[in-house]
Amino acid sequence: MSLINVKDIRKVYRVDEEKIVALGRINLRIEQGEICCILGTSGSGKSTLLNIMAGLEKPTKGSVFIAGKNVTQFTEKQWALFRQRNIGFVFQSYNLMPTQTAIENVAMPLMFKGINKRTRTKEAVHMLKAVGLGSRMMHRPTQMSGGQQQRVGIARAFVAKPKIVFADEPTGNLDSKTSRGVMEIMVRMAKIHHETLIIVTHDVNIAKYADRIINLHDGSIISDEPNQSIVSLDEEKKEPASAAVNE
């Protein structure tokens, strides 16, 4: 059974009297541990598809099954609990709490799961070291570069060991060198822990990090092909990122 099964998903927005079809009839299966890139230009429907899979939007028609559960039938409360247990997010704009330190930001998903402060601090420290931020743990977002903030975001997304991590334009605010380091960290971490990573991007260079590239255009899948990730097997065996992005 596939981890994610998207069945006949359609999304239509109404703007005044006009109907705008964001997604046509999308069918898609994603397996546990896959690194998938949903690639498309602005307006292709890629972010809408991610939002529907993550329960942030409801489809007009169709269903999404995750681990055999029809999540499109979930209430908001059911979705909140399901996300806490199964899903991590990496955002383009980082979405860190500005008044909190890196440790506090990373520990937040564990707090929502009811884990005690000592344990969640220990896990947050471990994750920050894993993404190369051992010397930035007590820094707040305003004291860090964009690349460092995104690495905090990655640590936060993976700290609770989710089944799925959704990354929506995760390098959109970063320069090309920093983007490469961030992608290597994120892909390596997902592969080491056999977690499913779904990346949404318009950038073909970012798509090269995925094992599978799903190309969207005007709300339809126009291609779905395997890809040889530029993160090599040798790199996957290393501890996630290290010197990929300089502190």
Side-chain angles (χ1 to χ4, degrees):
M1 180 176 64
S2 301
L3 178 63
I4 301 173
N5 187 3
V6 176
K7 299 183 71 172
D8 295 326
I9 284 292
R10 180 175 169 83
K11 181 67 178 181
V12 179
Y13 296 102
R14 287 185 177 273
V15 180
D16 298 323
E17 298 300 313
E18 186 181 1
K19 286 184 180 180
I20 297 173
V21 179
L23 294 174
R25 188 166 170 259
I26 300 288
N27 288 281
L28 181 64
R29 289 177 179 267
I30 298 173
E31 307 302 323
Q32 178 68 45
E34 274 197 289
I35 312 294
C36 290
C37 176
I38 299 173
L39 178 67
T41 57
S42 177
S44 63
K46 60 188 187 298
S47 290
T48 301
L49 178 56
L50 180 146
N51 289 341
I52 289 172
M53 287 192 288
L56 303 175
E57 289 188 53
K58 288 190 176 292
T60 305
K61 289 183 179 179
S63 302
V64 176
F65 293 82
I66 300 179
K69 297 179 180 180
N70 186 349
V71 296
T72 43
Q73 296 179 344
F74 279 5
T75 64
E76 284 301 317
K77 185 176 181 180
Q78 286 174 317
W79 254 120
L81 289 171
F82 189 80
R83 287 191 202 101
Q84 285 176 22
R85 294 169 183 161
N86 298 285
I87 294 175
F89 290 94
V90 179
F91 302 96
Q92 177 178 348
S93 55
Y94 321 133
N95 284 19
L96 302 178
M97 299 296 290
T99 60
Q100 295 191 330
T101 64
I103 287 178
E104 290 167 334
N105 269 286
V106 174
M108 194 175 299
L110 300 177
M111 181 180 70
F112 292 139
K113 292 182 79 170
I115 294 171
N116 67 70
K117 185 175 181 179
R118 181 177 179 180
T119 302
R120 63 180 187 254
T121 299
K122 180 181 176 182
E123 291 297 318
V125 166
H126 173 75
M127 290 301 297
L128 285 166
K129 287 180 178 178
V131 299
L133 289 177
S135 64
R136 297 289 191 271
M137 295 186 192
M138 300 309 296
H139 286 59
R140 290 179 170 80
T142 54
Q143 299 170 305
M144 293 184 282
S145 68
Q148 290 166 350
Q149 289 182 64
Q150 192 60 298
R151 283 190 281 162
V152 174
I154 291 167
R156 179 185 58 190
F158 284 92
V159 71
K161 299 178 176 61
K163 286 186 175 70
I164 307 162
V165 173
F166 291 107
D168 192 358
E169 297 282 7
T171 62
N173 290 336
L174 305 175
D175 61 59
S176 58
K177 181 180 177 182
T178 306
S179 295
R180 289 194 298 271
V182 162
M183 288 304 302
E184 286 173 8
I185 292 169
M186 191 160 53
V187 170
R188 227 178 280 152
M189 194 167 286
K191 286 182 174 292
I192 286 169
H193 299 289
H194 197 58
E195 292 161 321
T196 300
L197 175 61
I198 300 173
I199 306 155
V200 163
T201 186
H202 67 281
D203 188 342
V204 294
N205 291 313
I206 297 303
K208 294 174 184 177
Y209 288 86
D211 300 322
R212 177 181 175 192
I213 301 173
I214 300 157
N215 207 317
L216 251 64
H217 181 72
D218 289 343
S220 297
I221 295 174
I222 59 171
S223 66
D224 183 351
E225 302 290 343
N227 179 65
Q228 180 62 56
S229 173
I230 60 175
V231 176
S232 75
L233 291 175
D234 287 342
E235 286 177 317
E236 288 162 23
K237 292 173 186 175
K238 297 176 187 175
E239 279 299 314
S242 40
V245 186
N246 293 328
E247 292 184 20

